[in-house]
Amino acid sequence: RRFISSPSAAAVVRSSATPRTYSSISATEIAERTKRMLDAKEKSGLSYDELSSKLGVTNTYTAQLLMGQARLTSTTAIKLQEALPTASQQDIDNMQTTYPMRAFDEAILKEPNVYRTYEAITHYGEAIKSIINEQCGDGIMSAIDFYCDVGSTTGKHGEKRVVITFNGKFLPHIEQKMDDNSAKSPRD
């Protein structure tokens, strides 16, 4: 049985219940398109690294595009159609015109790779926060102006090791001075 990586796709494929929808976004349609795009990737014989190199985006962003979790730009759409010739023009067009639902099905946290990554972030979270504060100041890392790249390396004893790089813009917290607030007061 092939693992379907898209949380909403997995929920729709495994569930006989009515699929979850968000306003005009159909989880069923996204799951079906995700399956077709992953099939096109498989038929191409390209790895995520090879496909991302052809698209000029990170391997993680490439996976997000195929799974309906990122919006496809017109420039990247041309490259994607060339790299995955069996992908339908309709799917490529829909990937450009549909705004992604950037949520996840909580059941994905039960998948071991996802759970262990989540566990690592929560285990090291306080230390990561402390180092970010020390090096950058009081603020947070953006998950919008953000790059994620996944790779592997060989460890000291010859073992394969996973490398995940998060590269996010630092967003400082601000002092909320009344004079700087350009919004009209809700108390007028």
Side-chain angles (χ1 to χ4, degrees), residues 125-141 170-173:
E126 191 171 353
I128 292 168
K129 178 207 179 308
S130 182
I131 294 167
I132 289 171
N133 291 156
E134 180 181 275
Q135 294 182 0
C136 300
D138 184 24
I140 61 171
M141 177 179 65
F170 178 73
L171 303 172
H173 289 290

Side-chain angles (χ1 to χ4, degrees), residues 58-61 64 113-125 128-129 131-132 135-136 140-151 162-170:
T58 66
N59 60 5
T60 309
Y61 195 78
Q64 285 186 300
N113 273 312
V114 175
Y115 175 78
R116 290 296 181 210
T117 304
Y118 177 76
E119 181 182 46
I121 294 296
T122 55
H123 177 76
Y124 290 96
I128 292 168
K129 178 207 179 308
I131 294 167
I132 289 171
Q135 294 182 0
C136 300
I140 61 171
M141 177 179 65
S142 172
I144 303 298
D145 188 343
F146 182 86
Y147 299 87
C148 180
D149 195 35
V150 179
V162 176
V163 178
I164 301 173
T165 303
F166 288 171
N167 176 356
K169 179 180 180 181
F170 178 73

Side-chain angles (χ1 to χ4, degrees), residues 101-117:
M101 181 56 66
R102 291 180 175 93
F104 68 94
D105 184 327
E106 290 184 15
I108 194 68
L109 291 175
K110 294 177 182 173
E111 199 287 320
N113 273 312
V114 175
Y115 175 78
R116 290 296 181 210
T117 304

Side-chain angles (χ1 to χ4, degrees), residues 47-63:
S47 67
Y48 280 115
D49 283 344
E50 292 165 335
L51 182 55
S52 69
S53 180
K54 291 178 179 293
L55 301 181
V57 298
T58 66
N59 60 5
T60 309
Y61 195 78
T62 299

Side-chain angles (χ1 to χ4, degrees), residues 30 33 84 123 149:
I30 292 170
R33 184 181 71 218
L84 303 180
H123 177 76
D149 195 35

